[in-house]
Amino acid sequence: MEMRMDWDADGALRLALQGRLDLETVPDIRKRVLKALKKKPSAQVAVDLSGIERMDTAGVAFLVELRNLVGGKAGDWRLEKASGAVMKMLELARLDVLADAGADHGRD
Amino acid sequence: MAETEAGAIIQVKSLNSFYGQRRVLQDISFEVPAGKVTVIMGVSGCGKSTLLRHLIGLKPTDPGQIFVEGRDLAGFDARQMEAFRKRIGVLFQAGALFNSMSVRDNIAVPLRVHTRLAEPTISIMVRIKLHQVGLTRFGDYMPSQLSGGMRKRAGLARALAMDPEMLFVDEPSSGLDPITAAGLDDLILELREAMGMTLIVVTHELESAFRIADQLIVLDQGRVLAAGMPESIRESRDERVVQFLTRRADERTRDQEGYLSDLLTGGRKVGVHP
Ligand SMILES: Nc1ncnc2c1ncn2[C@@H]1O[C@H](COP(=O)(O)OP(=O)(O)OP(=O)(O)O)[C@@H](O)[C@H]1O
Ligand SMILES: [Mg+2]
């Protein structure tokens, strides 16, 4: 599993994940991301999922936790480039709402 | 993943099974295709649960009868068996929850034991599983406080905890109303779709079986009566298959003389009275 974290000028975090996001990789990824966010708190997070090959419920749970950590307001949280397979996992968890957070400024 | 020809993840070859001297499965052969739903049907007592116990390595199998990805299950050492068990989820017919812990903890146990996931992650995963089986608000309940159908669904949530590659479920919808049962059927199909999960489902519900099955196996008195795609089973002309599908009960006590003598002897074989 590869991970890149970048902060833009406004302090928004951009997280790019590659490979498997599952119950074997989530423990370490979570640790690293939480540590980074502690050092550099960020109220806005965008997660680029284009490189995800496999995601399971642990991966979904990690995204939920991350979203909650940054406040979870529309616009402050964005999932980008979720593949069909990733979307299916989100739907299976009844959490496809996670993926359209970026597009729903109008909603609550 | 190493698959055998035709994408079979499990192969059963002339499986025989005994309880003591009594043979309950005879010459069972079929393949479980990866990423598909295999449904096992048959009347009560025909050997469905026994077959499942063999498939999950719980009841010892003779060499050469069950293969997982081409490797003989009978030859698995303790480590291989543990690795296999981590890849499968099982819902037993009787549910089998730990009665001393809440539903939430029941589902969390496999994750706590087998993974390094942090507790906050586990807690979210458990809620997702509870939601999937329609028990969102019952995490804090003890198993004894649930109805039979709810216990069954809690057991399913636990079987799903690790997102297993293969899921074995013994009568998931027993005790459920038709609407909740249909919801379970949908979930089973979704698991196949979203995760490519291989499912082996024992059920009595004909309608459900035909809805979810990619492959149907009908057992009768410990033998495979019919196996194949649902359409081919439905079109079968075999008298016993037709009888099973139309739900005609066996003629009432064909042999009344034998029955009468059973009533008097308790079924023991005795000599003819003088
Ligand atoms: N632990 C056991 N010891 C001895 N005999 C057993 C045991 N478990 C099952 N049997 C016998 O094996 C046969 C098959 O039982 P099994 O539980 O596999 O049937 P089943 O098809 O699952 O039935 P049901 O639909 O009622 O669950 C039955 O005749 C039963 O009496
Ligand atoms: Mg049974």
Side-chain angles (χ1 to χ4, degrees), chain B residues 8-21:
Chain B
I9 195 163
I10 298 176
Q11 293 170 294
V12 182
K13 296 182 179 172
S14 298
L15 171 70
N16 292 300
S17 179
F18 297 84
Y19 289 107
Q21 295 294 308

Side-chain angles (χ1 to χ4, degrees), chain A residues 49 55 60 63-64 67 77-80 82-104 107, chain B residues 128 131-132 190 194:
Chain A
L49 295 173
M55 184 170 85
V60 177
L63 294 177
V64 170
R67 180 181 194 265
W77 163 262
R78 259 196 351 260
L79 277 191
E80 293 174 356
S83 67
V86 166
M87 277 312 297
K88 273 187 191 167
M89 268 316 291
L90 292 173
E91 281 162 24
L92 179 63
R94 317 290 182 243
L95 286 169
D96 24 328
V97 59
L98 280 181
D100 39 64
D104 68 354
R107 287 195 300 204
Chain B
I128 290 173
H131 190 69
Q132 281 175 337
E190 256 189 290

Side-chain angles (χ1 to χ4, degrees), chain A residues 24 30 56-57 65 92 94, chain B residues 118 120-121 129 132 163 190:
Chain A
E24 272 169 28
R30 177 180 181 275
D56 66 8
T57 309
E65 197 184 354
L92 179 63
R94 317 290 182 243
Chain B
T121 313
K129 301 295 175 188
Q132 281 175 337
D163 287 337
E190 256 189 290

Side-chain angles (χ1 to χ4, degrees), chain A residues 37-56:
Chain A
L37 276 174
K38 209 168 188 181
K39 256 200 214 146
K40 246 187 187 184
S42 179
Q44 292 188 321
V45 174
V47 186
D48 178 347
L49 295 173
S50 59
I52 295 289
E53 288 155 19
R54 190 189 121 82
M55 184 170 85
D56 66 8

Side-chain angles (χ1 to χ4, degrees), chain B residues 86-148:
Chain B
K86 270 196 211 171
R87 296 170 57 197
I88 69 176
V90 183
L91 171 62
F92 290 100
Q93 189 165 10
L97 294 165
F98 297 116
N99 285 319
S100 58
M101 30 172 113
S102 67
V103 170
R104 190 191 309 293
D105 283 338
N106 262 283
I107 301 168
V109 161
L111 296 164
R112 289 183 184 139
V113 173
H114 294 300
T115 75
R116 297 179 298 115
L117 290 164
E119 205 49 43
T121 313
I122 290 179
S123 158
I124 295 169
M125 291 174 74
V126 168
R127 288 197 181 127
I128 290 173
K129 301 295 175 188
L130 282 170
H131 190 69
Q132 281 175 337
V133 300
L135 291 177
T136 311
R137 282 167 303 136
F138 295 93
D140 291 329
Y141 280 56
M142 300 301 280
S144 62
Q145 297 172 307
L146 300 180
S147 74

